[in-house]
Amino acid sequence: MTTARKRRMTIVGLIAFAVTVVWLGNVLWSIDDWSRDWSTNHAEITVDANDPALRSPVFSESPQDVAQRIEDWVASQSLWTLQAKSTQEGSSQERIVTLHLVRTTRLFRFADDIRVQLSSVDDSTRLTAQSQSRLGKGDLGQNPRNLKELLRGLQSADLGER
């Protein structure tokens, strides 16, 4: 093997090593809760969530309008897809819209299922959601990040949150 070829292989190896270190650093840096993220592969948006960023928002629009905003946002995202949508009529003008979304991770293409429920509350809509990994025991914090990304997407879609 020539000296020039050895030098090129060394440079390629160093670049591959640097890319791997940067990627691993990003993954480790994004872990918020080390005790949770190694052993849990789901997260929820609920009324009484411990994490304030995962508490159920209430929007001034109808469930159908909020669902349409979510669908529009998902359509603009390369890693998100809408799998299913259903609507239930409840008692006295109560309406519940359920969306099944899938978010795929960039590198390994792992799929997480996100189920969003939009319930009418008086003249408003309450959002609750769950994100569940299809594989693995721990999610390294991806499921909470999925839900936070969804909520940021709704905020950027200029919804009338109360």
Side-chain angles (χ1 to χ4, degrees):
M1 191 180 299
T2 66
T3 305
R5 182 174 165 100
K6 285 181 185 178
R7 189 174 299 136
R8 272 185 297 209
M9 295 208 33
T10 301
I11 291 171
V12 168
L14 288 173
I15 291 171
F17 177 75
V19 167
T20 302
V21 168
V22 168
W23 173 80
L24 184 59
N26 282 336
V27 168
L28 295 176
W29 185 260
S30 66
I31 296 175
D32 293 330
D33 183 350
W34 285 86
S35 63
R36 179 232 168 264
D37 295 344
W38 289 107
S39 61
T40 306
N41 69 352
H42 68 279
E44 295 180 313
I45 294 174
T46 60
V47 175
D48 57 351
N50 289 335
D51 182 349
L54 294 177
R55 292 200 182 127
S56 291
V58 176
F59 299 97
S60 59
E61 282 87 1
S62 70
Q64 296 80 1
D65 291 341
V66 177
Q68 186 59 54
R69 299 273 186 135
I70 292 171
E71 290 177 58
D72 293 345
W73 179 79
V74 166
S76 72
Q77 304 300 305
S78 63
L79 301 175
W80 289 75
T81 56
L82 174 67
Q83 292 294 305
K85 178 182 178 181
S86 65
T87 303
Q88 287 179 313
E89 298 293 330
S91 59
S92 69
Q93 296 184 2
E94 182 183 41
R95 184 169 282 180
I96 299 171
V97 177
T98 304
L99 301 172
H100 176 199
L101 311 172
V102 174
R103 186 192 184 278
T104 307
T105 61
R106 287 186 199 280
L107 186 60
F108 295 114
R109 309 299 294 163
F110 293 130
D112 297 331
D113 293 299
I114 297 97
R115 300 202 187 274
V116 178
Q117 187 172 25
L118 304 165
S119 307
S120 56
V121 179
D122 299 325
D123 291 333
S124 304
T125 298
R126 178 172 301 282
L127 181 146
T128 57
Q130 303 84 36
S131 181
Q132 173 78 44
S133 298
R134 292 183 182 174
L135 297 172
K137 182 178 175 185
D139 62 13
L140 299 179
Q142 185 58 52
N143 286 297
R145 285 193 300 275
N146 291 344
L147 297 174
K148 291 173 184 177
E149 182 179 352
L150 174 65
L151 292 176
R152 279 193 307 272
L154 288 174
Q155 288 171 353
S156 69
D158 196 30
L159 279 174
E161 186 177 347
R162 286 187 180 174

